[in-house]
Amino acid sequence: MRKHFDSLIIGGGIIGSSIAFQLAKRGYKVAVLEKGKIAGKASGAAAGILGTQTELTEDGPLFRLACKSRSMYQTLIPELEDLSQLHIGCRNNGTYKVAVDQDQESELKRLIERQVGLGEQAEWLTIEELIEREPSVSRELRGAMFIPKDGQLEANELSLAFAKASVTLGAEVFEFTNVIDFILKDGKALGVKTIMGEILADSVIVASGAWSREVLERTGLTLPIIPVKGECFTVIPEKQLIQGTIFSHGCYIVPKRSGRVLVGATVKANSFDERVTVEGLSSLMEKAQTLLPDIGKAEWDRGWAGVRPQSADGQPFLGEHPDYKGLYIATGHFRNGILLAPVTGVLIADLLEGKTDQPNPFGLARLQSSEKGVLL
């Protein structure tokens, strides 16, 4: 193993792998250090929804960042598939954000007006129009906000594709390699200590998802990140039930290329527990059948859980450590890690190269310097 790299990335999920891909494209000697298997945690457990307009309802830096990231997939997916020889399974059938009552209908119509005003595409479908497009949805719904650009893909394959593409471009990936500590001197990060020995680098990037807080505490920084458990399951219907993704409060239903239908996701804060529970899955089943009655007749496939990183203010942390030069942080993406992966890789690579001349709304400056870990 090389003992010196241009950049070390701690974490082999989709965020770390996207950063590795972008840096390798720019000629950096990169190593990814993953304590388990690549995409073995939240990245491999995600539903793969590119929910810019579905998940984010207010204009602001995060919404604009998400729009940019979503648009990057058009050229990025063919590039990743070519370099990795993996099929990412992108489907652009849009998302239906459904209303189950009059209040939700009014809320969604206001949201459509705001997003159209921002130049995005969205339209209201009456229940009759929705059923014409998706005959299997419940007749009890009020209608839906249709978002044509919010597609979906295979999250696990995408995560692996980023990693394999980065290796094709010269990066090195080390699975089952736990980082024990950082090598810090005179306000600068010089590398890390691992079970394989010390590894030096010009820059170190922490992209450890929900485990980033634990990793960074070794530097004296308590990052306000909490783990949020989410459970999902898949079923195999006898016939195709839906074309587009169905999204509602507390439940989404995603038709996958294999013919399976994915249902997610529960939300349990402050939990690293990755066990699948009867309580969690039964609540999802009930919600799914309310939206798509025939899903109750589908064959059971499997269930699983993942742990997502949520920041205290709902914004990801993308920037340099407040105390140590050369130590960068990329975490806190919560439910939007798949969506924000492309732009995160570019943003962190640009930060390393000093190419950003605009204020960074996602940087660590929003932490109080006198009391690290408290948001301003």
Side-chain angles (χ1 to χ4, degrees), residues 318-351:
L318 308 172
E320 195 168 24
H321 193 289
D323 297 325
Y324 294 101
K325 295 292 184 183
L327 179 55
Y328 295 85
I329 299 165
T331 189
H333 297 76
F334 190 35
R335 290 158 59 112
N336 295 303
I338 304 300
L339 169 64
L340 295 172
V343 76
T344 296
V346 171
L347 192 152
I348 295 297
D350 284 348
L351 284 174

Side-chain angles (χ1 to χ4, degrees), residues 57-72:
T57 59
E58 299 296 331
D59 185 26
L62 183 57
F63 181 78
R64 293 191 288 273
L65 189 75
C67 288
K68 179 179 179 180
S69 197
R70 181 182 61 184
S71 68
M72 292 172 66

Side-chain angles (χ1 to χ4, degrees), residues 174-212:
F174 300 94
E175 295 180 311
F176 305 104
T177 303
N178 196 28
V179 172
I180 300 169
D181 205 351
F182 293 89
I183 302 172
L184 307 170
K185 184 177 181 182
D186 298 329
K188 175 78 169 64
L190 302 177
V192 298
K193 298 176 182 179
T194 76
I195 57 174
M196 301 168 62
E198 292 188 353
I199 310 171
L200 302 180
D202 298 329
S203 61
V204 179
I205 302 140
V206 176
S208 304
W211 289 264
S212 296

Side-chain angles (χ1 to χ4, degrees), residues 138-200:
S138 170
R139 270 64 176 166
E140 300 300 316
L141 298 175
R142 300 278 302 189
M145 171 185 179
F146 179 59
I147 309 163
K149 289 185 178 180
D150 276 4
Q152 50 106 350
L153 42 71
E154 300 293 336
N156 187 66
E157 281 79 354
L158 173 67
S159 303
L160 293 173
F162 268 120
K164 289 192 175 186
S166 69
V167 170
T168 300
L169 295 172
E172 297 184 49
V173 173
F174 300 94
E175 295 180 311
F176 305 104
T177 303
N178 196 28
V179 172
I180 300 169
D181 205 351
F182 293 89
I183 302 172
L184 307 170
K185 184 177 181 182
D186 298 329
K188 175 78 169 64
L190 302 177
V192 298
K193 298 176 182 179
T194 76
I195 57 174
M196 301 168 62
E198 292 188 353
I199 310 171
L200 302 180

